[in-house]
Coordinates of all heavy atoms in Angstrom, one line a residue:
M1 N -24.7 0.3 -47.8 CA -23.4 1.0 -47.8 C -23.5 2.4 -48.4 O -22.6 3.2 -48.2 CB -22.4 0.1 -48.5 CG -22.0 -1.1 -47.8 SD -20.2 -1.1 -47.8 CE -19.9 -2.2 -46.6
N2 N -24.5 2.6 -49.2 CA -24.6 3.9 -49.8 C -25.4 4.9 -48.9 O -25.9 5.9 -49.4 CB -25.2 3.8 -51.2 CG -24.3 3.1 -52.1 OD1 -23.1 3.1 -51.9 ND2 -24.9 2.5 -53.2
N3 N -25.5 4.6 -47.6 CA -26.3 5.5 -46.7 C -25.4 6.6 -46.1 O -25.9 7.2 -45.1 CB -26.9 4.6 -45.7 CG -28.0 3.7 -46.2 OD1 -28.5 4.0 -47.3 ND2 -28.3 2.7 -45.5
Y4 N -24.2 6.8 -46.6 CA -23.4 7.8 -46.0 C -23.9 9.2 -46.3 O -24.2 9.6 -47.4 CB -21.9 7.7 -46.5 CG -21.0 8.7 -46.0 CD1 -20.5 8.7 -44.7 CD2 -20.5 9.7 -46.9 CE1 -19.7 9.7 -44.3 CE2 -19.7 10.7 -46.4 CZ -19.2 10.7 -45.1 OH -18.4 11.6 -44.7
N5 N -24.1 10.0 -45.3 CA -24.6 11.4 -45.4 C -23.5 12.4 -45.0 O -23.2 12.5 -43.9 CB -25.8 11.5 -44.5 CG -26.5 12.9 -44.7 OD1 -26.0 13.7 -45.5 ND2 -27.6 13.1 -44.1
P6 N -22.9 13.1 -46.0 CA -21.8 14.0 -45.7 C -22.3 15.2 -44.8 O -21.6 15.8 -44.0 CB -21.3 14.5 -47.0 CG -22.4 14.1 -48.0 CD -23.2 13.0 -47.4
G7 N -23.6 15.5 -44.9 CA -24.1 16.6 -44.0 C -24.1 16.2 -42.6 O -23.7 17.0 -41.7
F8 N -24.4 15.0 -42.3 CA -24.4 14.5 -40.9 C -22.9 14.5 -40.4 O -22.7 14.9 -39.2 CB -25.0 13.1 -40.8 CG -24.9 12.5 -39.4 CD1 -25.7 12.9 -38.4 CD2 -23.9 11.5 -39.2 CE1 -25.5 12.4 -37.1 CE2 -23.8 10.9 -37.9 CZ -24.6 11.4 -36.9
A9 N -22.0 14.1 -41.2 CA -20.6 14.1 -40.8 C -20.1 15.5 -40.6 O -19.3 15.7 -39.6 CB -19.8 13.4 -41.9
L10 N -20.5 16.4 -41.4 CA -20.1 17.8 -41.2 C -20.7 18.4 -39.9 O -20.0 19.1 -39.2 CB -20.6 18.6 -42.4 CG -20.1 20.1 -42.5 CD1 -18.6 20.1 -42.6 CD2 -20.7 20.8 -43.7
I11 N -22.0 18.1 -39.6 CA -22.6 18.6 -38.4 C -21.9 18.0 -37.2 O -21.6 18.7 -36.2 CB -24.1 18.3 -38.4 CG1 -24.8 19.2 -39.4 CG2 -24.7 18.5 -37.0 CD1 -26.2 18.8 -39.6
L12 N -21.6 16.7 -37.2 CA -20.9 16.0 -36.1 C -19.5 16.6 -35.9 O -19.1 16.8 -34.8 CB -20.8 14.5 -36.4 CG -20.2 13.7 -35.3 CD1 -21.1 13.7 -34.1 CD2 -20.0 12.2 -35.8
F13 N -18.8 16.9 -37.0 CA -17.5 17.6 -36.9 C -17.6 18.9 -36.2 O -16.8 19.2 -35.3 CB -16.9 17.7 -38.3 CG -15.7 18.6 -38.3 CD1 -14.4 18.1 -37.9 CD2 -15.7 19.9 -38.8 CE1 -13.3 18.9 -37.9 CE2 -14.6 20.7 -38.8 CZ -13.4 20.2 -38.3
F14 N -18.6 19.7 -36.6 CA -18.7 21.1 -35.9 C -19.1 21.0 -34.5 O -18.6 21.7 -33.6 CB -19.7 21.9 -36.7 CG -19.2 22.5 -38.0 CD1 -19.8 22.3 -39.2 CD2 -18.0 23.3 -37.9 CE1 -19.3 22.8 -40.3 CE2 -17.5 23.8 -39.1 CZ -18.2 23.6 -40.3
I15 N -19.9 20.0 -34.1 CA -20.2 19.8 -32.7 C -19.0 19.4 -31.9 O -18.8 19.9 -30.8 CB -21.4 18.7 -32.6 CG1 -22.7 19.3 -33.1 CG2 -21.5 18.3 -31.1 CD1 -23.8 18.3 -33.2
I16 N -18.3 18.4 -32.4 CA -17.1 18.0 -31.7 C -16.0 19.1 -31.6 O -15.4 19.3 -30.6 CB -16.5 16.7 -32.4 CG1 -17.4 15.5 -32.1 CG2 -15.1 16.4 -31.8 CD1 -17.0 14.3 -32.9
S17 N -15.9 19.9 -32.7 CA -14.9 21.0 -32.7 C -15.4 22.1 -31.7 O -14.5 22.6 -31.0 CB -14.8 21.6 -34.1 OG -14.3 20.7 -35.0
G18 N -16.7 22.3 -31.6 CA -17.2 23.3 -30.7 C -16.9 22.9 -29.2 O -16.5 23.7 -28.4
L19 N -17.2 21.6 -28.9 CA -16.9 21.1 -27.6 C -15.5 21.2 -27.2 O -15.1 21.5 -26.1 CB -17.5 19.7 -27.4 CG -19.0 19.6 -27.4 CD1 -19.4 18.1 -27.4 CD2 -19.6 20.3 -26.2
L20 N -14.6 20.8 -28.1 CA -13.2 20.9 -27.9 C -12.7 22.4 -27.7 O -11.9 22.6 -26.9 CB -12.4 20.2 -29.0 CG -12.4 18.7 -29.0 CD1 -11.7 18.2 -30.3 CD2 -11.8 18.1 -27.8
F21 N -13.3 23.3 -28.4 CA -13.0 24.7 -28.3 C -13.4 25.1 -26.9 O -12.6 25.8 -26.2 CB -13.7 25.5 -29.3 CG -13.5 27.0 -29.1 CD1 -12.3 27.6 -29.4 CD2 -14.6 27.8 -28.6 CE1 -12.2 29.0 -29.1 CE2 -14.4 29.1 -28.4 CZ -13.2 29.7 -28.6
L22 N -14.6 24.8 -26.4 CA -15.0 25.2 -25.1 C -14.2 24.6 -24.0 O -14.0 25.2 -22.9 CB -16.5 24.8 -24.9 CG -17.5 25.6 -25.7 CD1 -18.9 25.0 -25.5 CD2 -17.5 27.1 -25.3
L23 N -13.7 23.4 -24.2 CA -12.9 22.7 -23.2 C -11.5 23.3 -23.1 O -10.9 23.5 -22.0 CB -12.8 21.2 -23.6 CG -12.1 20.3 -22.6 CD1 -12.8 20.3 -21.2 CD2 -12.0 18.9 -23.1
F24 N -10.8 23.6 -24.3 CA -9.4 23.9 -24.3 C -9.1 25.4 -24.7 O -7.9 25.7 -24.9 CB -8.6 23.0 -25.2 CG -8.6 21.6 -24.6 CD1 -9.3 20.6 -25.2 CD2 -7.8 21.3 -23.5 CE1 -9.3 19.3 -24.7 CE2 -7.8 20.0 -23.0 CZ -8.5 19.0 -23.6
R25 N -10.1 26.2 -24.9 CA -9.7 27.6 -25.3 C -8.8 28.3 -24.2 O -9.0 28.0 -23.0 CB -11.0 28.4 -25.6 CG -11.8 28.7 -24.4 CD -13.1 29.4 -24.8 NE -13.9 29.5 -23.6 CZ -15.0 30.2 -23.6 NH1 -15.4 30.9 -24.6 NH2 -15.8 30.2 -22.5
P26 N -7.9 29.1 -24.7 CA -6.9 29.7 -23.7 C -7.6 30.5 -22.7 O -8.5 31.3 -22.9 CB -6.1 30.5 -24.6 CG -6.3 30.0 -26.0 CD -7.7 29.5 -26.0
T27 N -7.2 30.4 -21.5 CA -7.6 31.1 -20.2 C -9.0 30.9 -19.8 O -9.3 31.1 -18.7 CB -7.2 32.6 -20.3 OG1 -8.0 33.2 -21.3 CG2 -5.7 32.8 -20.5
N28 N -10.0 30.7 -20.7 CA -11.4 30.6 -20.4 C -12.0 29.2 -20.6 O -13.1 29.0 -20.3 CB -12.2 31.6 -21.2 CG -11.9 33.0 -20.8 OD1 -11.5 33.3 -19.6 ND2 -12.0 33.9 -21.7
G29 N -11.2 28.3 -21.0 CA -11.7 26.9 -21.2 C -11.8 26.2 -19.9 O -11.2 26.5 -18.9
W30 N -12.7 25.2 -19.9 CA -13.0 24.5 -18.7 C -11.7 23.8 -18.1 O -11.5 23.8 -16.9 CB -14.0 23.4 -18.9 CG -15.4 23.9 -19.3 CD1 -15.9 25.1 -18.9 CD2 -16.3 23.4 -20.2 NE1 -17.1 25.3 -19.5 CE2 -17.4 24.3 -20.3 CE3 -16.3 22.2 -20.9 CZ2 -18.5 24.0 -21.1 CZ3 -17.4 21.9 -21.7 CH2 -18.5 22.8 -21.8
F31 N -10.9 23.3 -19.0 CA -9.6 22.6 -18.6 C -8.7 23.6 -17.8 O -8.2 23.3 -16.8 CB -8.9 22.1 -19.8 CG -7.5 21.6 -19.5 CD1 -7.4 20.3 -18.9 CD2 -6.4 22.3 -19.8 CE1 -6.1 19.9 -18.6 CE2 -5.1 21.9 -19.5 CZ -5.0 20.6 -18.9
W32 N -8.6 24.8 -18.4 CA -7.7 25.8 -17.8 C -8.3 26.4 -16.5 O -7.6 26.7 -15.5 CB -7.4 27.0 -18.7 CG -6.7 26.4 -20.0 CD1 -7.2 26.3 -21.2 CD2 -5.4 25.9 -20.0 NE1 -6.3 25.8 -22.0 CE2 -5.2 25.5 -21.3 CE3 -4.4 25.7 -19.1 CZ2 -4.0 24.9 -21.8 CZ3 -3.2 25.1 -19.5 CH2 -3.0 24.8 -20.8
I33 N -9.6 26.5 -16.4 CA -10.3 27.0 -15.2 C -10.0 26.0 -14.0 O -9.7 26.4 -12.9 CB -11.8 27.2 -15.4 CG1 -12.0 28.4 -16.4 CG2 -12.5 27.4 -14.1 CD1 -13.4 28.6 -16.8
V34 N -10.2 24.7 -14.3 CA -10.0 23.7 -13.3 C -8.5 23.7 -12.9 O -8.2 23.6 -11.7 CB -10.5 22.3 -13.8 CG1 -10.0 21.2 -12.8 CG2 -12.0 22.3 -13.9
K35 N -7.6 23.7 -13.9 CA -6.2 23.7 -13.6 C -5.8 24.9 -12.7 O -5.0 24.8 -11.8 CB -5.4 23.7 -14.9 CG -3.9 23.6 -14.7 CD -3.2 23.5 -16.0 CE -1.7 23.5 -15.7 NZ -0.9 23.9 -16.9
N36 N -6.2 26.1 -13.1 CA -5.9 27.3 -12.3 C -6.5 27.3 -10.9 O -5.9 27.8 -10.0 CB -6.3 28.5 -13.1 CG -5.4 28.8 -14.3 OD1 -4.3 28.3 -14.4 ND2 -6.0 29.4 -15.3
Y37 N -7.6 26.7 -10.8 CA -8.2 26.6 -9.4 C -7.3 25.8 -8.5 O -7.1 26.2 -7.4 CB -9.6 25.9 -9.5 CG -10.2 25.6 -8.2 CD1 -10.7 26.6 -7.4 CD2 -10.2 24.3 -7.7 CE1 -11.2 26.4 -6.1 CE2 -10.7 24.1 -6.4 CZ -11.2 25.1 -5.6 OH -11.7 24.8 -4.4
Y38 N -6.8 24.7 -8.9 CA -6.0 23.9 -8.1 C -4.6 24.5 -7.9 O -4.0 24.4 -6.8 CB -5.8 22.5 -8.7 CG -7.0 21.6 -8.5 CD1 -7.8 21.2 -9.6 CD2 -7.5 21.3 -7.2 CE1 -8.9 20.5 -9.4 CE2 -8.6 20.5 -7.0 CZ -9.3 20.1 -8.1 OH -10.5 19.4 -7.9
K39 N -4.2 25.3 -8.8 CA -2.9 26.0 -8.7 C -3.0 27.1 -7.7 O -2.2 27.3 -6.8 CB -2.5 26.6 -10.0 CG -1.1 27.2 -10.0 CD -0.7 27.6 -11.4 CE 0.7 28.2 -11.5 NZ 1.0 28.7 -12.8
K40 N -4.1 27.8 -7.7 CA -4.4 28.9 -6.7 C -4.5 28.3 -5.3 O -4.1 28.9 -4.3 CB -5.6 29.7 -7.1 CG -5.4 30.6 -8.3 CD -6.6 31.4 -8.6 CE -6.4 32.2 -9.9 NZ -7.6 32.9 -10.3
D41 N -5.2 27.1 -5.2 CA -5.4 26.5 -3.9 C -4.0 26.2 -3.3 O -3.8 26.4 -2.1 CB -6.2 25.2 -4.1 CG -6.6 24.6 -2.8 OD1 -6.9 25.4 -1.8 OD2 -6.5 23.4 -2.7
E42 N -3.1 25.6 -4.1 CA -1.8 25.3 -3.6 C -1.0 26.6 -3.3 O -0.3 26.6 -2.2 CB -1.0 24.5 -4.7 CG 0.4 24.0 -4.2 CD 1.0 23.2 -5.3 OE1 0.4 22.7 -6.2 OE2 2.3 23.0 -5.2
K43 N -1.1 27.6 -4.1 CA -0.5 28.9 -3.8 C -0.9 29.5 -2.5 O -0.2 30.0 -1.7 CB -0.7 29.8 -4.9 CG 0.0 31.2 -4.8 CD -0.3 32.1 -6.0 CE 0.4 33.4 -5.8 NZ 0.1 34.3 -6.8
T44 N -2.2 29.4 -2.2 CA -2.8 29.9 -1.0 C -2.2 29.2 0.2 O -1.9 29.8 1.2 CB -4.3 29.8 -1.0 OG1 -4.8 30.5 -2.2 CG2 -5.0 30.4 0.2
I45 N -2.1 27.9 0.1 CA -1.6 27.1 1.2 C -0.1 27.5 1.5 O 0.3 27.7 2.7 CB -1.7 25.6 0.9 CG1 -3.1 25.2 0.9 CG2 -0.9 24.8 1.9 CD1 -3.4 23.8 0.4
I46 N 0.7 27.7 0.5 CA 2.1 28.1 0.6 C 2.2 29.4 1.3 O 3.0 29.7 2.2 CB 2.8 28.0 -0.7 CG1 2.9 26.6 -1.2 CG2 4.2 28.7 -0.6 CD1 3.4 26.4 -2.6
E47 N 1.3 30.4 0.8 CA 1.3 31.7 1.4 C 0.9 31.7 2.9 O 1.5 32.4 3.7 CB 0.4 32.6 0.6 CG 0.9 33.0 -0.7 CD -0.1 33.8 -1.6 OE1 -1.2 33.9 -1.1 OE2 0.3 34.3 -2.6
D48 N 0.0 30.8 3.2 CA -0.5 30.7 4.6 C 0.7 30.1 5.5 O 0.9 30.6 6.6 CB -1.7 29.9 4.8 CG -3.0 30.6 4.2 OD1 -2.9 31.8 4.0 OD2 -4.0 29.9 4.0
I49 N 1.4 29.2 5.0 CA 2.5 28.6 5.7 C 3.6 29.6 5.9 O 4.1 29.8 7.0 CB 3.0 27.3 5.0 CG1 2.0 26.2 5.1 CG2 4.4 26.9 5.6 CD1 2.4 25.0 4.2
L50 N 3.9 30.4 4.9 CA 4.9 31.4 5.0 C 4.5 32.5 6.0 O 5.3 33.0 6.8 CB 5.2 32.1 3.7 CG 6.0 31.2 2.7 CD1 6.1 31.8 1.3 CD2 7.3 30.8 3.2
K51 N 3.2 32.9 6.0 CA 2.7 33.8 7.0 C 2.9 33.3 8.4 O 3.3 34.0 9.3 CB 1.3 34.2 6.7 CG 0.7 35.3 7.6 CD -0.7 35.7 7.2 CE -1.7 34.6 7.5 NZ -3.1 35.0 7.2
L52 N 2.5 32.0 8.6 CA 2.7 31.4 9.9 C 4.1 31.4 10.4 O 4.4 31.7 11.5 CB 2.1 30.0 9.9 CG 2.1 29.3 11.3 CD1 1.2 29.9 12.2 CD2 1.7 27.8 11.0
L53 N 5.0 31.0 9.5 CA 6.4 31.0 9.8 C 7.0 32.4 10.2 O 7.7 32.6 11.1 CB 7.3 30.4 8.7 CG 7.1 28.9 8.4 CD1 7.8 28.5 7.2 CD2 7.6 28.1 9.6
Y54 N 6.5 33.4 9.4 CA 6.9 34.8 9.7 C 6.4 35.3 11.0 O 7.2 35.9 11.8 CB 6.4 35.7 8.5 CG 6.7 37.2 8.8 CD1 8.0 37.6 8.5 CD2 5.8 38.0 9.2 CE1 8.3 39.0 8.7 CE2 6.1 39.4 9.4 CZ 7.3 39.8 9.1 OH 7.6 41.2 9.3
N55 N 5.2 35.0 11.3 CA 4.6 35.4 12.6 C 5.2 34.7 13.8 O 5.3 35.3 14.9 CB 3.1 35.2 12.6 CG 2.4 36.2 11.7 OD1 2.9 37.3 11.4 ND2 1.2 35.8 11.2
N56 N 5.7 33.5 13.7 CA 6.3 32.8 14.8 C 7.8 32.9 14.8 O 8.5 32.4 15.7 CB 5.9 31.3 14.7 CG 4.5 31.1 15.1 OD1 4.0 31.7 16.0 ND2 3.8 30.2 14.3
E57 N 8.4 33.7 13.9 CA 9.9 33.8 13.9 C 10.4 34.6 15.2 O 11.3 34.1 15.8 CB 10.3 34.6 12.7 CG 11.8 34.8 12.5 CD 12.1 35.6 11.3 OE1 11.2 36.1 10.6 OE2 13.3 35.7 11.0
D58 N 9.7 35.6 15.6 CA 10.2 36.4 16.7 C 9.8 35.7 18.1 O 10.4 36.0 19.1 CB 9.6 37.8 16.7 CG 10.2 38.6 15.5 OD1 11.3 38.3 15.1 OD2 9.4 39.5 15.0
S59 N 8.8 34.9 18.1 CA 8.4 34.3 19.3 C 9.3 33.2 19.8 O 9.2 32.7 20.9 CB 7.0 33.8 19.2 OG 6.9 32.7 18.3
G60 N 10.2 32.7 18.9 CA 11.1 31.6 19.3 C 10.5 30.2 19.3 O 11.1 29.3 19.8
K61 N 9.3 30.0 18.8 CA 8.7 28.7 18.8 C 9.3 27.8 17.7 O 9.7 28.3 16.7 CB 7.2 28.8 18.5 CG 6.4 29.5 19.6 CD 4.9 29.5 19.2 CE 4.1 30.2 20.2 NZ 2.6 30.2 19.8
Q62 N 9.4 26.6 18.0 CA 9.8 25.6 17.1 C 8.6 25.0 16.3 O 7.7 24.5 16.9 CB 10.5 24.4 17.8 CG 11.9 24.8 18.4 CD 12.9 25.0 17.3 OE1 12.9 24.4 16.2 NE2 13.9 25.8 17.7
L63 N 8.6 25.2 15.0 CA 7.5 24.7 14.2 C 8.0 23.5 13.3 O 9.1 23.6 12.8 CB 7.0 25.8 13.3 CG 6.2 26.9 13.9 CD1 5.9 28.0 12.9 CD2 5.0 26.4 14.6
D64 N 7.2 22.5 13.3 CA 7.4 21.4 12.4 C 6.2 21.2 11.5 O 5.2 21.9 11.6 CB 7.9 20.1 13.1 CG 6.8 19.6 14.1 OD1 5.8 20.3 14.2 OD2 7.0 18.6 14.7
V65 N 6.2 20.2 10.7 CA 5.1 20.0 9.7 C 3.8 19.7 10.5 O 2.7 20.2 10.1 CB 5.4 18.8 8.8 CG1 4.3 18.5 7.9 CG2 6.7 19.1 7.9
K66 N 3.8 18.9 11.5 CA 2.6 18.6 12.3 C 2.0 19.9 12.9 O 0.8 20.1 12.9 CB 2.9 17.6 13.4 CG 3.2 16.2 12.8 CD 3.5 15.2 13.9 CE 3.9 13.9 13.3 NZ 4.2 12.9 14.3
N67 N 2.8 20.7 13.4 CA 2.3 22.0 14.0 C 1.7 22.9 13.0 O 0.7 23.5 13.2 CB 3.4 22.7 14.8 CG 3.9 22.0 16.0 OD1 3.3 21.1 16.5 ND2 5.1 22.3 16.4
I68 N 2.4 23.0 11.8 CA 1.9 23.8 10.7 C 0.5 23.3 10.2 O -0.4 24.1 10.1 CB 2.9 23.9 9.6 CG1 4.1 24.7 10.1 CG2 2.3 24.6 8.4 CD1 5.3 24.7 9.1
T69 N 0.4 22.0 10.0 CA -0.9 21.5 9.5 C -2.0 21.6 10.5 O -3.1 21.8 10.2 CB -0.7 20.0 9.0 OG1 -0.2 19.2 10.1 CG2 0.2 19.9 7.8
A70 N -1.6 21.5 11.8 CA -2.6 21.6 12.8 C -3.1 23.1 12.9 O -4.3 23.4 13.1 CB -2.1 21.1 14.2
A71 N -2.1 24.0 12.9 CA -2.5 25.4 13.0 C -3.3 25.9 11.8 O -4.2 26.8 12.0 CB -1.2 26.3 13.1
L72 N -3.0 25.4 10.6 CA -3.7 25.9 9.4 C -4.9 25.0 9.0 O -5.6 25.3 8.1 CB -2.7 26.0 8.2 CG -1.6 26.9 8.4 CD1 -0.6 26.8 7.3 CD2 -2.1 28.3 8.6
K73 N -5.1 23.9 9.7 CA -6.2 23.0 9.5 C -6.2 22.5 8.0 O -7.3 22.4 7.4 CB -7.5 23.6 9.8 CG -7.6 24.0 11.3 CD -8.9 24.7 11.6 CE -8.9 25.1 13.1 NZ -9.5 26.3 13.3
Y74 N -5.0 22.1 7.5 CA -4.9 21.6 6.1 C -4.6 20.1 6.2 O -3.9 19.7 7.2 CB -3.8 22.3 5.3 CG -4.2 23.7 4.9 CD1 -3.3 24.7 5.2 CD2 -5.3 24.0 4.2 CE1 -3.7 26.0 4.8 CE2 -5.6 25.2 3.8 CZ -4.8 26.3 4.1 OH -5.1 27.5 3.7
S75 N -4.9 19.4 5.2 CA -4.4 18.0 5.1 C -3.0 18.1 4.7 O -2.5 19.1 4.2 CB -5.3 17.2 4.1 OG -5.1 17.7 2.8
N76 N -2.3 17.0 4.8 CA -0.9 16.9 4.5 C -0.5 16.6 3.1 O 0.6 16.3 2.7 CB -0.3 15.8 5.4 CG 1.2 16.1 5.7 OD1 1.7 17.1 5.3 ND2 1.8 15.1 6.4
K77 N -1.5 16.7 2.1 CA -1.2 16.3 0.8 C -0.3 17.3 0.0 O 0.3 16.9 -1.0 CB -2.5 16.1 0.0 CG -3.4 17.4 -0.2 CD -4.6 17.1 -1.0 CE -5.4 18.3 -1.2 NZ -6.6 18.0 -2.0
Y78 N -0.3 18.6 0.4 CA 0.5 19.5 -0.3 C 1.9 19.8 0.4 O 2.8 20.4 -0.2 CB -0.2 20.9 -0.4 CG -1.3 20.9 -1.3 CD1 -2.6 21.1 -0.8 CD2 -1.2 20.7 -2.7 CE1 -3.7 21.0 -1.7 CE2 -2.3 20.7 -3.5 CZ -3.5 20.9 -3.0 OH -4.6 20.8 -3.8
I79 N 2.1 19.3 1.6 CA 3.3 19.6 2.3 C 4.2 18.5 2.2 O 3.9 17.3 2.5 CB 2.9 19.9 3.8 CG1 2.0 21.1 3.9 CG2 4.2 20.2 4.6 CD1 1.5 21.4 5.2
V80 N 5.4 18.8 1.7 CA 6.5 17.8 1.6 C 7.4 17.8 2.8 O 7.8 18.9 3.3 CB 7.4 18.1 0.3 CG1 8.5 17.1 0.2 CG2 6.5 18.1 -0.9
E81 N 7.5 16.7 3.4 CA 8.4 16.6 4.6 C 9.8 16.6 4.3 O 10.3 16.1 3.3 CB 8.0 15.4 5.5 CG 6.6 15.5 6.0 CD 6.2 14.4 6.9 OE1 7.1 13.9 7.7 OE2 5.1 14.0 6.9

């Protein structure tokens, strides 16, 4: 029971703190990079849908969700019916 080494505990604390810093640091942490990647992906899909609607506005075509997903070749996971 007297084998407790405070140096080992201190090193372990710094390693865990460093990993948490790399994971959650503002704007450059791995968590934020992944989160922003998915946010940009959703934003791109919305912009593409709006562009398609704008381009088809003058032609008088009727667009629905199936036509939009087929034209943009996206899955239906981001589009709410």
